[in-house]
Amino acid sequence: MSETSDLPVLPTKQELHIWLTQVVSDYLGNPPETLDPARPLAEAGLDSVYALSVCSEIEETLEVPVEPTLAWDHPTIDAIVDHLHGVISTR
Amino acid sequence: MTMALQQLLGDPWDPDNPLGHEAVVAADEAGQLPPGGEELLDSYGLGAEFVPAALGGRLTDVDAMARGLRPLFGRDGALGLGYGVTTIMAAVNVWTSGDPEQQRRLADTVLAGGRAAVCFHELAHGNDFGQQEFAARPENGSLVLNGRKEVINNVGRARALVLFARTDPGAGSRSHSLLLVDPAAVAPASMRPMPRFGTVGVRGCELGGVEFTDCRIPESSLIGPPGSGMETALRAFQITRAALPSMALGTLDTQLRVTVRFARERRLYGATVAELPHARSLLATAFTGLLTADCLTTAACRALHLLPGEAGPYAAAAKYLGPRILLDASDGLSVVLGARHYLREGPYAIFQKHLRDLPVLSLGHAGPLACLASVVPQLPALARQSWANDGPPPPDALFAAGGPLPPLRYDRLALSARGRDPLGAAWPALGRAVLRESGESGGHLGTLVRLLTARFRELAHECAELPRPERTVTAGPQGFGAAAQYAALLAAAACAGTWLDRRRHSDPFLGGTAWLTAALHRLAERLGSAPGQLPTAVEDELLAELFNRHDRHAGFDLDRLPLA
């Protein structure tokens, strides 16, 4: 399974959203359409250590420093995307 | 500290020594700590080893602290766990995230000889701390506690409790907090001890439980901000994950010492057991394991000081592989001892006591799978960012067991190494340096280094491509297998780095290639890559050193300190 990023250097919020939903979907083994972007990911099964893995992948793909606790402090897909978009836009 | 503690513990073979082997076995039979043992440690002021120097204690250096406790674990693991380790396990959370007042209070308690109990565990949830139910509910400026904590060492005797509690009903990792509670200050009816849990090993430890019912504590009990419990624990416990297996080397030292004594006395088939090839191999393997575990746990403890942001995986590897090596060595030695390994009386009875204690040191406080689970999610980033490149080498001081260290920066312990792995990534270069310095590229050592490097490259590729579902606590054998292999490769790097350090210091045995060849051979076996048999000459050199140290009453670890 190839995991090269499909993201452009400066992704839009929508592009981030689609990418992140696919990433989380792969981790949880649930199809993307079943993931509610406003629902806490922990409720969907993304435990504390798993969340660190997601953050690591975000950091590598987007090439921005991301706190390992990103998914803890921004617990939904919407919240993560909002935060990341802000970080990318200001770098 | 080690020398003074050895003196204090006295001659282990003296039947009148209250902390001799005979007394320790008798106390274990009775399910108690050796009478007078804790008082003796109090008189020594051992508690100060767990309190930072800045707060009036003697703790400056995790490596030194852990090495210093080896003699105690060599005498009685229950005393080691009960007296000190559970206190340091609770305390690291406060040293990491407590406010000055909490740190002062806990320091005073421990310096005065008080125990702390670390209350994380609920039987229903095991290491899955995120699912815990024990709760602290805010109410009128206080917190109200409800729930149970089970199989907690010293909970009935502790003067300070560090409790992990749910402070938010939501799922997720900001829903728990750590609390520092003085059991003497709560309403007696609100806190009830639960019956003691009987265990096979560390029978002298008081493993109990505590049940809270509407127990009111001040809001100032919170250690760190609300919701920071998981984060603090994952950072602070790196200290104890690295230190505990280092301390436990003392246990294997005693087992090995007892077995060597037996092997050289006992005659079978016209020779002493120590002359029989199979027994020789088992003795040499156990000695090799002890040295390997020393290299790995030492590097992990020292990394906390030298590479604080990157030390998490090393601590997890130490806590996973260290006890695994010790348990395997213990099993091998029990074969040498034969029937005597399970006798609960007689001159070798201390062996079976340590045999039963060792698994607790492995399971207690983050079992092996939990440790691997914390590494698995990091493997892809470590592989992609560090293992393919020639990054900066690890500092030489990482391998200088017992040497000076900069202060521990608790605030720089991190949840993730974020792809940085100076130790693991250094394996290929360290392997090459070993072959250059030793001139043994054409021999067995050369074969091992090349095998391990090939395995390292393969693992790097596997981890870089690890599918997402394999990168978490619910990973299958692929994810966990990769993490276990990574731990073995870290151990190889630690052994190589230690050898190079000792070579530079012209150490006759540790700078010689026999022990390193044996160590890398056994690690290659763990990785499924071993090339045939270890040369007999290597084994003979190890045994000569082992028997020599036994006769000189010197420790079997890297330090070789004289015993009492």
Side-chain angles (χ1 to χ4, degrees), chain B residues 16-38:
Chain B
D16 297 324
N17 181 355
L19 286 179
H21 290 327
E22 204 171 293
V24 165
V25 170
D28 182 67
E29 288 285 309
Q32 293 171 359
L33 291 176
E38 290 188 307

Side-chain angles (χ1 to χ4, degrees), chain B residues 159-243:
Chain B
R159 299 229 289 270
L161 304 178
V162 171
L163 291 152
F164 183 81
R166 175 174 284 286
T167 40
D168 187 299
S173 312
R174 291 298 193 200
S175 298
H176 301 85
S177 305
L178 288 171
L179 308 166
L180 180 61
V181 174
D182 176 358
V186 304
S190 67
M191 190 179 115
R192 178 181 79 85
M194 292 165 59
R196 187 178 175 189
F197 292 85
T199 53
V200 169
V202 294
R203 283 168 45 82
C205 279
E206 301 256 346
L207 290 156
V210 60
E211 182 161 33
F212 291 85
T213 309
D214 292 333
C215 175
R216 193 167 292 273
I217 58 172
E219 214 167 60
S220 59
S221 308
L222 280 166
I223 302 171
S228 64
M230 185 74 78
E231 181 171 354
T232 294
L234 286 175
R235 291 167 53 224
F237 284 155
Q238 292 174 23
I239 298 169
T240 43
R241 283 179 176 187

Side-chain angles (χ1 to χ4, degrees), chain A residues 1-3 19 22-24 26-29 40 42-43 46-54 56-57 59-61 64-69 72-73, chain B residues 128 170-174 227 230-231 234 373-378 380-381 384-385 414-416 418-419 464-474:
Chain A
M1 176 180 69
S2 167
E3 291 181 6
W19 174 78
Q22 184 61 56
V23 168
V24 174
D26 285 348
Y27 275 100
L28 295 178
E43 283 176 29
L46 202 79
D47 67 59
S48 56
V49 177
Y50 225 171
L52 295 177
S53 196
V54 171
S56 178
E57 193 164 344
E59 193 171 44
E60 268 194 289
T61 305
V64 287
V66 161
E67 283 302 314
T69 50
W72 297 12
D73 295 326
Chain B
D128 188 6
S173 312
R174 291 298 193 200
M230 185 74 78
E231 181 171 354
L234 286 175
S374 71
V375 172
V376 168
Q378 301 197 44
R384 288 199 282 253
Q385 292 174 42
L415 293 175
S416 164
R418 294 159 90 163
E465 301 296 309
L466 202 62
R468 288 180 177 128
E470 285 294 319
R471 300 188 204 168
T472 180
V473 288
T474 49

